[in-house]
Amino acid sequence: MQVGSSYLGEPIARVEDPRLLTGGGRYLDDLGQDAVELAVLRSPHAHARILDIDVSGAIDVPGLLAIYTYDDLSGPLAEPLPLLIPHPSISAGRTQYVLAKDEVNYVGEAIAVVVAENRYLAEDAAERIEVSYELLPPVVGLVAAREAQQLVHRDVEGNVAAHFVQQVGDAAAAIAAAPHRLSLELSVERSASTPLEGRGVLARWDTDSQRLRVWTSTQTATGVRAAIAARLGLDLGSVEVITPDVGGGFGVKIVHPWPEEVLVPMAARALGRAVKFTEDRREHFISSAHERAQLHEVEVGFDDEGHLLGLSVRFWHDNGAYLPYGLIVPIITSTQLLGPYKPAAYRVEFESLYTNTVIVTPYRGAGRPQGVFAMERTMDAIAAELGIDRAEVRARNFIQPEEMPYDHGLIFQDGRPLVYDSGDFPATLDKLKALVGWDEWPAYQAQARASGRKVGLGLACYVEGTGVGPYEGGHVQIETTGKVKVSTGLTSQGQGHQTAFAQIVADELGVAISDIEVVTGDTRRFPYAVGTFASRAAVMSGSAIALAARAARAKILRVAADALEAAAEDLEIVDGMVRVKGAPGNEIALGTVAVLSNPLRYAFDEASKAATQFAVGDPDLPPVAEDDEPGLEGKDYYSPLRSTFANGMHAVIVETDPDTAEVAILRYCVVHDCGTLINPRIVEGQIHGGVAQGVAGALYERMAYDESGQLQNASFMDFLMPYVSEVPERIEIDHLETRSPLNPLGIKGAGEAGVIPGAAVFASAISDAEGFQITAMPISPSELFELRRQHAANAAQKGTQP
Amino acid sequence: MKPPAFDYSRPETLEEAVGLLAELSSGGKVLAGGQSLLPILSMRLAAPEHLVDINRIAELDTISAGPDGVRLGALARHAAVERDPAVRSTQPLIPAALRQVAHPTIRNRGTTLGSIVHADPSGEMPAVLALLGGSVTAVSARGRRTISAAEFFLGPLESALGPDEIAVEAYFPALAVRSGTAFAEVSRRHGDYAVCGVAALVSVDQERRITSARAGYLSIASTPLVLDLTEAVLGRRCADDLSAAGRLARQLVEPDADIHASADYRRDLAGVLSDRVITEAARAAAGSGPGD
């Protein structure tokens, strides 16, 4: 690292923002103004057999170009979509077809697509397609799925897609022998990513070169590319996938290929026209993905001090109609539930169940909000049972810093052992207690109660496995202008990668941020990549880019050492100049080094004149030495042994209205440890957005399916994504920086942190305010009102008993 | 979410507009602020053949307030009405309720008369019109008529307006002497349709004793509901315990449940909010002073 030129850790403003904030963003629907448009006919029924599809009524619609149903598909296009992440415990993995074959399993499943001159006409035509159905009984919700009186898939008994058990020690025996035991039933409802920009795809088929270029609003350009090539029978080299600006992903856009990501290129090739699909909001609600619905049964045994002797968790996961993303969400719940704690024995068992509802795939937090809810409600219950301070019970069960790396003896979602690499949980808790004023709380609460106010303080801790493999790569190139071009294959959905990655490169190469350009998610620039999910971009691509920049730096110094007639180790790079340490004036610009690195035949400008083969190098040697390459660039990959574990703790103070049962947020405090901070401002922005989604999942959002499987709130009018007026005006944040030993910069992921403890911390605070335990989230004022009545009635009944 | 094709006219005069609607018989639909109509079209919940855009008809863009009350033309935007000082002094319930209508950007474009004509039982302004005993004036090729609020709201999203009629004016009576108003609602998010909302109009005598207490409810029944709560608080002063108003309201309302609230919660809110607004309105009535 350069003396006096450290960008790493600086809260610099995002270089993306001026463009995005002044309307300069180019999102999918901004592209392809010449494209014809595709609309999808979707199932109005949750479960039905398709008897007949009659398109004759649609044929006359003006501007109609094509209608496709399942019968029009052949080869790989007619096969079910892939089960992206298989797992040995999946006994019945079912995925949907790009267009429904014989049966539909949720309201919103694609049945036919229409391509017309514009979306209006395409919808007109779609409306005129007549589908005859034989209705089948729908399975909606976990209770119905478990009862299995009706089946989602005829051949899947009990609606069970997978059954999985992991254990360390004999939890049942430990619980049975424990001095204290508790059982809890805890549930979380469905929510969804709901990015501001929905899904969207644009495809152009070049008839001359027989090549396909696709733009898609995705979290994985390389994944979509491989999927399209496989489904359309094209060589990978004939398909390019580019991600334009993406208006948020939060998990839903890691699923791939979406049916439309295959159907749009298919239509573009068939019609020889650019074809575009822009998902509308209702479609997003009923045909992309949801998450979170789980029911948990916790058995815990503990000693008089509150030490966890045995913990046994059974839970049921609603995976929706199909299982394209495997078991990632429930596996994360089952492992990350443990948080910062070390029960002496642990057993977890889950069933992943089919229902006739939209598919379930990771949404920011990905199973952790549920796991943390289950664990933290348990810690509060133990504290209440023993009459011990809630923070103290937690502290007594923490894994200690000197126990790191800590091996839980379980297998994590990446198939690797669940080993925490680093973290200082006692220090995190101390910081949070100081930040929120934990020790002063009882006095404050007593005072508020005396004046008729109901206030509550909640606490929740979590550990988050971030930066999962297998790999990412980075490429760094110095141009003859001295500008630096950086690319990595994973995508950006608004995280500020252009800024954060540039900060890394600026430090490694000693150049100004303004001279660095970062490109992400373009398979033309970087064809090997995994994607942006699991809080992995900074860890994976950040590390890869750092390594690539170091490779470029090594070459810079080698070439410059030659030119300056100095030893490479005596050189430093400052402000774009390579100079000999302690020898002012003996320096060479990076751009000139780039010129020297590339002997040319042809000259177009002054820089290239200086680089012709007649101007540079030793005439007795080949212009490009053996084992060398022309140009000044570095490329490298980062592939970690396993995930790195970030952690954090949140506290919230709420006030509940004694009359209306509305919940007001008085303070929200976060202590967060994601290792080395590349840019604290970006990390805090991630926390702000995550907390907003945590508030959403705790107090507002749910998917209101009725018994027939109709989603009753498929719009932002009734799906209550919080407005800015519903999230805390101020989020108080403190950081720890416990470096990860697993990567060159000591980074841990920060993308999902803010949302993870949301349901848990609000349940804790509302319970503290109300004096009874909250066991199901989210909670609305109406539900809190009903709970108050129920508890008042129970208390009255107890009072009348002898 | 793209509307099916429709024809579109933008007449310059009211005469032209009503002529068009007469020709279209029931196929025409009036477009003013469009804040409810356009989403309905985009979601294909309605497919009128012909939109008659009245935004160019200057004579409808009026806000007037006089001794007898407030008159709003069909193009009076919520935001303009909300900020009009004469409206505020003539009938303060109007701006108090308008502040709860959706979000500022919607209020910039949406019209107050439009939201009354939309007749959403969750709308603030239908409840205000009903409570104050206002009226709507409609014009058609057949002539001009004035419809009282009590006769205007027929059901959810259903008003007494004929398909050939344009609502040209809403009339809200002025606040009488020794009277006060208040408005309160509980919504899940700021700017959402209320789970329950209540407007109150209270009058007192020279001893500042309550002589009349009425409340208008939104999101409680299929049309704006007006309850006379006078019997519960008659003769009391604003500093007295007025919770009998809320108790009576709880007895009288019969709300439905939906995905946001149970029927019991709504009923309880109707009581809680009735207490709050009756008390606040009584205070305002008492503060208006015997000599006013």
Side-chain angles (χ1 to χ4, degrees):
Chain A
M1 194 167 296
Q2 305 309 300
V3 179
S5 69
S6 182
Y7 284 101
L8 206 70
E10 286 303 308
I12 63 169
R14 302 189 341 155
V15 300
E16 295 90 335
D17 287 345
R19 186 175 64 83
L20 296 175
L21 294 176
T22 55
R26 300 290 286 166
Y27 297 90
L28 195 283
D29 199 41
D30 296 321
L31 311 176
Q33 295 304 312
D34 59 326
V36 298
E37 293 195 82
L38 178 143
V40 185
L41 176 69
R42 301 185 181 282
S43 172
H45 302 297
H47 200 189
R49 202 159 287 135
I50 297 171
L51 303 177
D52 182 53
I53 303 174
D54 179 2
V55 302
S56 58
I59 301 294
D60 297 338
V61 171
L64 176 71
L65 296 168
I67 297 174
Y68 301 98
T69 67
Y70 178 81
D71 289 342
D72 300 307
L73 308 176
S74 60
L77 277 168
E79 290 166 16
L81 286 167
L83 202 168
L84 287 171
I85 309 176
H87 189 273
S89 68
I90 297 174
S91 52
R94 297 289 178 273
T95 56
Q96 72 187 83
Y97 294 87
V98 292
L99 293 171
K101 176 178 187 277
D102 304 333
E103 193 175 309
V104 284
N105 279 304
Y106 61 93
V107 171
E109 187 164 354
I111 292 174
V113 288
V114 175
V115 184
E117 290 294 339
N118 61 51
R119 173 74 184 237
Y120 296 82
L121 299 173
E123 288 191 20
D124 286 351
E127 216 173 40
R128 287 166 174 76
I129 298 172
E130 302 256 352
V131 184
S132 316
Y133 301 95
E134 177 195 341
L135 297 188
L136 301 170
V139 178
V140 181
L142 276 169
V143 173
R146 283 175 69 186
E147 283 171 359
Q149 307 243 331
Q150 312 293 345
L151 298 180
V152 175
H153 302 286
R154 257 166 304 176
D155 56 343
V156 179
E157 269 194 45
N159 293 312
V160 178
H163 174 237
F164 190 45
V165 180
Q166 287 205 74
Q167 51 194 327
V168 182
D170 188 342
I175 294 165
H180 305 275
R181 286 182 289 276
L182 282 172
S183 302
L184 294 90
E185 193 176 303
L186 299 160
S187 66
V188 176
E189 289 192 43
R190 272 193 181 210
S191 184
S193 301
T194 53
L196 275 185
E197 183 201 26
R199 299 178 296 122
V201 198
L202 165 68
R204 291 182 191 279
W205 174 255
D206 184 332
T207 317
D208 295 337
S209 65
Q210 297 283 298
R211 287 168 66 90
L212 182 69
R213 183 172 291 180
V214 178
W215 293 257
T216 181
S217 186
T218 186
Q219 293 177 225
T220 172
T222 47
V224 174
R225 181 193 191 203
I228 290 172
R231 294 286 153 161
L232 296 189
L234 293 166
D235 295 336
L236 196 62
S238 301
V239 181
E240 297 165 349
V241 173
I242 303 157
T243 44
D245 285 318
V246 174
F250 309 113
V252 66
K253 295 176 185 174
I254 189 62
V255 181
H256 64 282
W258 287 102
E260 296 86 351
E261 282 175 327
V262 176
L263 293 164
V264 166
M266 178 195 82
R269 183 171 64 168
L271 299 171
R273 302 275 302 265
V275 178
K276 181 162 79 172
F277 165 71
T278 304
E279 181 186 58
D280 69 32
R281 186 54 62 187
R282 177 170 164 76
E283 287 184 296
H284 187 78
F285 274 108
I286 64 169
S287 69
S288 41
H290 303 162
E291 207 226 90
R292 301 278 199 262
Q294 283 182 182
L295 175 63
H296 313 79
E297 288 177 4
V298 178
E299 302 277 331
V300 63
F302 47 98
D303 66 15
D304 295 339
E305 280 80 47
H307 294 112
L308 295 167
L309 302 176
L311 177 67
S312 178
V313 179
R314 285 183 79 196
F315 71 95
W316 292 265
H317 170 79
D318 171 359
N319 63 234
Y322 301 103
L323 198 71
Y325 213 74
L327 300 177
I328 293 300
V329 172
I331 289 177
I332 291 176
T333 297
S334 68
T335 48
Q336 298 263 269
L337 180 146
L338 293 173
Y341 313 116
K342 44 175 184 183
Y346 176 57
R347 181 182 193 278
V348 63
E349 172 178 10
F350 70 78
E351 280 183 346
S352 190
L353 301 174
Y354 287 110
T355 58
N356 288 110
T357 55
V358 169
I359 59 167
V360 166
T361 65
Y363 154 40
R364 195 182 199 178
R368 295 178 189 88
Q370 303 94 310
V372 170
F373 177 67
M375 189 71 237
E376 295 296 294
R377 289 279 69 211
T378 303
M379 296 311 273
D380 276 2
I382 293 170
E385 180 77 7
L386 298 176
I388 301 175
D389 177 68
R390 290 174 287 167
E392 180 58 29
V393 168
R394 287 167 167 83
R396 287 175 187 174
N397 286 287
F398 280 161
I399 296 162
Q400 297 301 309
E402 58 272 20
E403 295 177 90
M404 298 290 177
Y406 186 86
D407 188 346
H408 277 287
L410 301 167
I411 300 298
F412 190 44
Q413 62 129 324
D414 53 4
R416 302 284 172 124
L418 182 71
V419 178
Y420 292 176
D421 52 329
S422 65
D424 188 341
F425 307 137
T428 309
L429 182 61
D430 286 347
K431 269 182 181 277
L432 184 72
K433 286 171 71 174
L435 184 61
V436 75
W438 183 265
D439 294 332
E440 294 81 54
W441 174 253
Y444 177 89
Q445 188 180 37
Q447 197 181 8
R449 276 183 182 155
S451 58
R453 295 172 61 203
K454 285 171 175 271
V455 292
L457 167 62
L459 165 69
C461 312
Y462 69 91
V463 172
E464 182 199 359
T466 69
V468 301
Y471 72 87
E472 287 296 336
H475 181 251
V476 173
Q477 180 165 23
I478 296 94
E479 297 197 343
T480 55
T481 55
K483 306 254 187 210
V484 180
K485 305 295 173 185
V486 180
S487 69
T488 186
L490 57 63
T491 59
S492 298
Q493 302 97 46
Q495 290 92 343
H497 292 156
Q498 274 82 359
T499 307
F501 294 157
Q503 284 179 267
I504 293 170
V505 173
D507 274 7
E508 298 288 345
L509 295 186
V511 296
I513 292 273
S514 54
D515 282 334
I516 300 170
E517 180 196 79
V518 178
V519 169
T520 57
D522 184 339
T523 64
R524 299 171 301 180
R525 289 288 296 272
F526 208 99
Y528 290 97
V530 183
T532 300
F533 57 93
S535 302
R536 70 191 293 282
V539 176
M540 301 301 298
S541 278
S543 297
I545 287 169
L547 296 173
R550 286 173 193 180
R553 178 187 176 85
K555 180 154 188 190
I556 292 166
L557 296 183
R558 181 160 55 79
V559 175
D562 222 23
L564 295 172
E565 296 180 335
E569 53 271 27
D570 292 334
L571 301 181
E572 60 183 2
I573 316 176
V574 178
D575 293 337
M577 301 297 289
V578 188
R579 64 190 193 195
V580 181
K581 288 179 209 163
N586 197 2
E587 60 185 24
I588 181 170
L590 272 180
T592 311
V593 180
V595 168
L596 297 175
S597 73
N598 181 19
L600 298 173
R601 180 78 186 173
Y602 309 110
F604 310 103
D605 53 25
E606 291 308 313
S608 41
K609 276 180 203 163
T612 60
Q613 59 188 312
F614 305 104
V616 297
D618 184 335
D620 297 327
L621 293 172
V624 177
E626 215 174 307
D627 301 331
D628 204 355
E629 294 171 354
L632 207 51
E633 55 188 323
K635 184 179 183 178
D636 208 341
Y637 290 86
Y638 170 67
S639 179
L641 201 54
R642 52 180 170 264
S643 300
T644 173
F645 289 80
N647 75 86
M649 301 183 189
H650 291 200
V652 67
I653 297 177
V654 302
E655 176 159 7
T656 59
D657 189 302
D659 298 321
T660 64
E662 291 170 287
V663 178
I665 303 168
L666 304 185
R667 285 182 68 200
Y668 200 103
C669 300
V670 174
V671 177
H672 182 250
D673 187 349
C674 62
T676 306
L677 294 172
I678 300 170
N679 184 327
R681 188 191 293 214
I682 288 178
V683 171
E684 292 192 1
Q686 284 281 15
I687 292 170
H688 292 167
V691 167
Q693 285 180 314
V695 170
L699 303 178
Y700 294 100
E701 295 176 354
R702 75 183 73 214
M703 291 295 168
Y705 275 104
D706 68 13
E707 287 170 1
S708 65
Q710 297 291 339
L711 186 59
Q712 298 171 281
N713 60 342
S715 82
F716 280 142
M717 187 170 88
D718 285 317
F719 178 84
L720 306 177
M721 185 164 83
Y723 304 128
V724 70
S725 43
E726 278 60 55
V727 298
E729 228 175 273
R730 184 159 163 258
I731 298 167
E732 300 163 61
I733 301 175
D734 198 356
H735 295 285
L736 259 79
E737 293 190 66
T738 312
R739 287 176 62 92
S740 169
L742 298 178
N743 62 66
L745 300 174
I747 307 171
K748 301 178 176 188
E752 296 166 273
V755 74
I756 291 169
V761 78
F762 277 99
S764 179
I766 295 169
S767 299
D768 187 40
E770 297 289 329
F772 51 79
Q773 294 300 323
I774 304 297
T775 59
M777 292 297 268
I779 184 164
S780 68
S782 179
E783 286 161 325
L784 182 56
F785 168 82
E786 298 294 344
L787 282 176
R788 281 176 178 174
R789 289 209 306 188
Q790 197 181 310
H791 283 276
N794 289 351
Q797 201 176 8
K798 266 186 198 157
T800 60
Q801 279 166 0
Chain B
M1 284 218 257
K2 303 289 182 195
F6 52 81
D7 291 323
Y8 172 84
S9 303
R10 192 166 58 188
E12 305 278 338
T13 67
L14 183 58
E15 196 183 357
E16 214 184 314
V18 296
L20 250 173
L21 285 173
E23 273 173 42
L24 293 165
S25 93
S26 61
K29 185 81 188 165
V30 173
L31 172 67
Q35 298 303 296
S36 297
L37 179 59
L38 294 189
I40 286 171
L41 296 184
S42 290
M43 290 189 272
R44 298 193 176 216
L45 297 173
E49 289 161 30
H50 198 126
L51 291 193
V52 179
D53 182 345
I54 61 171
N55 282 283
R56 286 279 175 90
I57 305 175
E59 65 185 280
L60 298 180
D61 193 4
T62 57
I63 298 173
S64 72
D68 69 326
V70 171
R71 293 176 189 279
L72 304 177
L75 292 178
R77 315 282 166 183
H78 296 304
V81 179
E82 181 189 341
R83 292 178 198 132
D84 190 293
V87 169
R88 182 180 309 261
S89 57
T90 303
Q91 182 43 271
L93 183 58
I94 295 173
L98 278 172
R99 274 194 291 277
Q100 306 289 334
V101 174
H103 304 273
T105 47
I106 291 174
R107 297 204 292 274
N108 285 339
R109 186 73 192 159
T111 64
T112 302
L113 188 48
S115 85
I116 289 169
V117 168
H118 189 52
D120 191 319
S122 301
E124 287 80 2
M125 299 319 287
V128 167
L129 191 81
L131 173 66
L132 297 177
S135 61
V136 173
T137 298
V139 172
S140 71
R142 294 176 284 140
R144 188 180 183 97
R145 64 176 180 137
T146 294
I147 311 159
S148 71
E151 288 167 345
F152 188 76
F153 301 106
L154 303 181
L157 309 183
E158 191 188 353
S159 78
L161 208 62
D164 61 336
E165 286 182 307
I166 298 178
V168 294
E169 186 181 281
Y171 163 69
F172 300 85
L175 185 65
V177 290
R178 287 190 294 276
S179 296
T181 60
F183 188 91
E185 69 177 39
V186 169
S187 59
R188 291 291 278 114
R189 298 172 298 186
H190 287 77
D192 279 356
Y193 281 117
V195 174
C196 174
V198 190
L201 173 61
V202 173
S203 300
V204 297
D205 62 16
Q206 291 192 341
E207 276 78 51
R208 297 176 184 173
R209 291 179 187 282
I210 293 172
T211 57
S212 161
R214 288 155 51 81
Y217 297 81
L218 45 132
S219 303
I220 285 295
S222 61
T223 55
L225 175 70
V226 178
L227 295 179
D228 189 337
L229 305 175
T230 308
E231 61 176 280
V233 291
L234 186 67
R236 295 189 195 181
R237 291 193 171 92
C238 64
D240 295 340
D241 177 7
L242 301 181
S243 59
R247 282 197 295 278
L248 180 57
R250 282 181 182 87
Q251 284 169 28
L252 296 176
V253 298
E254 284 297 337
D256 287 331
D258 65 13
I259 59 171
H260 300 302
S262 68
D264 285 348
Y265 176 61
R266 269 212 170 82
R267 178 183 297 108
D268 200 66
L269 275 186
V272 167
L273 296 179
S274 295
D275 286 346
R276 288 183 185 175
V277 292
I278 293 287
T279 302
E280 193 187 327
R283 204 172 285 144
S288 67
D292 284 355

